[in-house]
Amino acid sequence: MNSFAWTVVDSGIGPLLLAATDDGLVSVVFHARAEVRDRALGQLAARLGRAPAEDATGSGLLAEPIRELAEYFAGRRTEFGLTLDWSLASGFNRQVLRELADGVPYGTVVGYGDLADRVGRAGAAQAVGAAMGSNPLPVVVPCHRVVESDGGLGGFGGGLETKRKLLALEGVLPQPLF
């Protein structure tokens, strides 16, 4: 395949850019309005060494990710069954993200330090934070479930309001009143 498929879908947290290769879903990008979308597509093309090909109908490689994300945002899915292309994550970051994907279920949270412990790197909470910031597959690989040990939300690439909405959707935080 000389290209990767992409589309933008609406979600409960705004437009998401989804990108997939033959190996699986490779990227999810928050706030995918025109400027963000175009910049993300350029970065993906450079990193993947492939040209973007829009899948406007969502009938190809993106059909299953679109369906599962729609079910998640509608409250009908608590676990993703998608094939993921991990080519945009490597080393420690990939190890941490895989542990997060496999070991922190819907409706739960984990501390940065606890996640570091789980991958055998006690004291590496800041490195875990950096791994969360580089997550190419947010929502599906649930970096929104990683919080500070004192109960604070911590950071989030999609913005704290987006993190709050995802945690409220999963029942971890109360739904906002507005």
Side-chain angles (χ1 to χ4, degrees):
M1 179 166 118
N2 294 354
S3 61
F4 64 90
W6 70 272
T7 195
V8 174
V9 296
D10 197 24
S11 75
I13 54 171
L16 296 175
L17 177 129
L18 307 178
T21 66
D22 285 336
D23 294 326
L25 185 67
V26 71
S27 181
V28 176
V29 178
F30 293 116
H31 314 299
R33 289 172 189 82
E35 184 179 317
V36 169
R37 177 199 66 215
D38 293 346
R39 184 173 58 248
L41 289 172
Q43 291 169 342
L44 282 168
R47 290 192 65 197
L48 295 171
R50 302 173 185 189
E54 186 174 9
D55 179 4
T57 63
S59 60
L61 297 173
L62 293 167
E64 189 62 14
I66 290 168
R67 186 180 70 76
E68 289 195 20
L69 280 160
E71 290 172 356
Y72 170 81
F73 284 108
R76 295 190 314 269
R77 174 172 291 276
T78 60
E79 189 173 302
F80 292 101
L82 299 170
T83 301
L84 302 178
D85 176 342
W86 289 97
S87 64
L88 297 178
S90 60
F92 176 76
N93 289 359
R94 184 186 295 193
Q95 182 184 11
V96 169
L97 292 169
R98 283 183 173 271
E99 173 59 31
L100 175 63
D102 296 338
V104 183
Y106 183 94
T108 66
V109 294
V110 65
Y112 292 93
D114 294 333
L115 197 50
D117 290 346
R118 288 187 189 193
V119 297
R121 295 279 302 270
Q126 285 187 316
V128 166
M132 295 305 103
S134 73
N135 182 3
L137 295 159
V139 182
V140 176
V141 177
C143 52
H144 59 277
R145 297 181 191 151
V146 184
V147 297
E148 295 175 346
S149 58
D150 66 3
L153 284 180
F156 193 62
L160 289 182
E161 186 57 32
T162 299
K163 187 170 188 171
R164 282 187 197 93
K165 286 179 180 178
L166 290 167
L167 290 172
L169 173 70
E170 295 188 11
V172 175
L173 293 176
Q175 291 285 347
L177 297 175
F178 50 90

